[in-house]
Amino acid sequence: MSQPVILQGVGELGGVFARALLRAGHPVYPVTRDMDPQRTAAEYPEPALVLLTVGEADLHPALEAMPEAWRQRVGLLQNELLPRDWEAHGIEQPTVIAAWFEKKPGQDHKVVIPSPAHGPAAGLLVEALNGLGIPAREVNDAAAMRFELVRKNVYILTTNIAGLECGGTVTELWRDHQELARQVAHEVMDIQAWLTGEELDREALIDGMVEAFEGDPEHRNTGRSAPARLARAIEHADAAGLSVPKLRELHARQSG
């Protein structure tokens, strides 16, 4: 039998990964909110992967409470994820995937573009997702994976934040409000550059964002998380001393 996979957080996206992993022959053991991960770790101390499918707000508490036996077997897929998130908890080399598909209640998964994955169990995730008909690919270089994470962040933050002003779909955003989209995207990239401590290839990130627009042209720009994403972006900008005038204008409107 293949090594088991621990799944911490069993929501819509977690359910897709569970189905993919089970189909690939891996026993999947869930850790829900009312379960003690230490007890599960005592029973399964050497899983192939401990995949955290919790939301962004629950990521740091989950990493803080991660059993020692699991700390170098972690898999992460949250939005707005960057290396600083796992490094803050002493996790050196997690498996990371930028999940470019979504799953909503009552609907099957919807793919935008292939999902890149990097780390010790990246091949396991790629094989499992591909077996479910979800395109995924392994990225062997850590720097290339950082680019992929930033690319996903730029897409999510730009569409969510710009969408607070214009609403609509990603196609409409790029066709009818491209100046707004570019302004928001570049201010988002200012923040991402500070968070990563790296110079960014901004045109490549814009091109990557547009590729995702084309992968799901009817995707809605905003959701329930948009105001919170904007507020987090402003917090980061304040910490970095960045002006980000468009983000601050939009935030002032939301706050007013």
Side-chain angles (χ1 to χ4, degrees), residues 10 30 55 60 73 86 101 103 107 117 123 135 144 153 163 165 185 197 204 220:
V10 192
H60 287 282
R73 301 171 184 271
W86 62 80
F101 61 93
K103 173 68 173 69
Q107 300 177 8
N153 294 346
E165 178 168 306
R220 305 298 297 181

Side-chain angles (χ1 to χ4, degrees), residues 18 24 39 108 138 155 164 193 206 222 240 245:
R39 293 186 64 179
D108 202 358
E138 189 167 356
Y155 169 86
L164 290 170
I206 292 288
T222 55

Side-chain angles (χ1 to χ4, degrees), residues 29-174:
Y29 296 93
V31 176
T32 61
R33 287 182 183 271
D34 58 351
M35 294 173 64
D36 180 4
Q38 299 290 344
R39 293 186 64 179
T40 308
E43 190 171 356
Y44 303 102
E46 296 184 351
L49 180 66
V50 180
L51 187 61
L52 271 64
T53 61
V54 299
E56 294 98 306
D58 295 323
L59 175 60
H60 287 282
L63 289 174
E64 185 67 29
M66 182 65 57
E68 188 61 35
W70 288 354
R71 295 184 69 80
Q72 301 309 321
R73 301 171 184 271
V74 170
L76 303 172
L77 51 79
Q78 286 69 26
N79 291 325
E80 300 186 55
L81 185 68
L82 289 171
R84 59 185 272 148
D85 293 306
W86 62 80
E87 290 169 356
H89 299 276
I91 295 173
E92 298 175 0
Q93 194 179 16
T95 297
V96 180
I97 183 167
W100 282 99
F101 61 93
E102 63 177 4
K103 173 68 173 69
K104 295 183 178 179
Q107 300 177 8
D108 202 358
H109 58 263
K110 185 176 184 181
V111 173
V112 180
I113 56 175
S115 298
H118 172 75
L124 181 157
L125 287 179
V126 168
E127 180 182 4
L129 290 173
N130 286 342
L132 205 61
I134 298 174
R137 59 186 176 86
E138 189 167 356
V139 175
N140 294 319
D141 181 71
M145 191 66 211
R146 285 195 300 275
F147 173 87
E148 294 293 346
L149 292 175
V150 172
R151 173 193 186 187
K152 181 82 182 290
N153 294 346
V154 171
Y155 169 86
I156 291 168
L157 290 164
T158 299
T159 56
N160 275 211
I161 294 171
L164 290 170
E165 178 168 306
C166 66
T169 66
V170 296
T171 296
E172 292 165 341
L173 173 63
W174 198 244

